C-alpha cells in the first residue's frame, strides 16, 4: 500500500508493555517466572497476560514500515512504550515526567488493545 505523501503532522503511536500480577501456568519452557512487587507492596508473579508482546511487536512493526516508507509521509512521529497501562499509573507517570515537554505534543494519538475473548 502506497501512502501517497501522507501528512502525519505530529502523531503518536502507543503500545503498552506492562506485566500483570498473575502466575503463568502454561507449562511452556518460556513461561514467565518473574516476580515483582505489586501496587499493594506484595511480591507476586508477573506475566504479559493480555497480549502486551503483541502490542510491542506491532509498535516495532509499524516503526519499521514507516521508516521504510519515510519518503511517502511527512511530519513528526513519536513512538511510545507505556508501562503500567492496566492500572493507568503509567500514563500519569509519563505525563508527570514531562512526556509532552520532552517530546512533541501530538495532534493525533493511536493505540490499540488485543482481547482474546472478542471476535476478530
Amino acid at each position: 500500500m502506497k501512502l501517497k505523501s501522507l501528512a502525519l503532522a505530529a502523531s503518536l503511536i502507543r503500545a503498552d508493555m506492562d506485566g500483570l500480577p498473575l502466575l503463568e501456568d502454561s507449562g511452556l519452557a518460556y513461561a514467565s517466572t518473574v516476580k515483582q512487587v505489586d501496587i499493594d507492596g506484595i511480591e507476586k508473579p508477573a506475566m504479559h497476560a493480555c497480549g502486551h508482546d503483541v502490542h510491542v511487536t506491532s509498535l516495532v512493526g509499524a516503526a519499521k514500515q514507516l521508516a521504510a516508507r519515510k519518503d511517502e509521509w511527512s511530519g513528526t512521529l513519536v513512538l511510545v512504550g507505556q508501562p503500567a497501562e492496566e492500572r493507568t499509573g503509567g500514563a500519569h507517570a509519563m505525563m508527570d515526567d514531562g512526556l509532552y515537554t520532552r517530546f512533541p505534543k501530538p495532534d493525533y494519538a493511536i493505540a490499540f488493545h488485543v482481547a482474546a475473548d472478542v471476535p476478530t
Side-chain angles (χ1 to χ4, degrees), residues 91-108:
H92 293 292
M94 292 172 68
M95 297 299 287
D96 291 345
D97 191 46
L99 176 66
Y100 295 140
T101 56
R102 296 172 58 204
F103 304 97
K105 186 173 182 179
D107 298 304
Y108 306 97

Side-chain angles (χ1 to χ4, degrees), residues 5-117:
S5 298
L6 177 67
L8 292 178
S11 299
L12 179 144
I13 303 176
R14 179 206 64 101
D16 52 291
M17 56 179 198
D18 52 343
L20 299 176
L22 299 168
L23 176 64
E24 183 171 355
D25 62 358
S26 65
L28 297 170
Y30 54 83
S32 176
T33 58
V34 172
K35 294 188 182 223
Q36 67 183 9
V37 176
D38 199 27
I39 196 168
D40 57 10
I42 299 171
E43 184 177 82
K44 297 178 181 175
M47 66 176 284
H48 293 289
C50 68
H52 295 130
D53 297 340
V54 171
H55 301 170
V56 173
T57 301
S58 297
L59 181 69
V60 170
K64 288 177 82 170
Q65 291 299 317
L66 287 163
R69 293 168 174 78
K70 62 185 176 185
D71 59 330
E72 297 177 30
W73 60 274
S74 64
T76 301
L77 179 63
V78 178
L79 304 171
V80 174
Q82 178 189 331
E85 170 266 341
E86 295 289 343
R87 298 190 175 172
T88 70
H92 293 292
M94 292 172 68
M95 297 299 287
D96 291 345
D97 191 46
L99 176 66
Y100 295 140
T101 56
R102 296 172 58 204
F103 304 97
K105 186 173 182 179
D107 298 304
Y108 306 97
I110 301 168
F112 77 97
H113 202 281
V114 297
D117 60 344

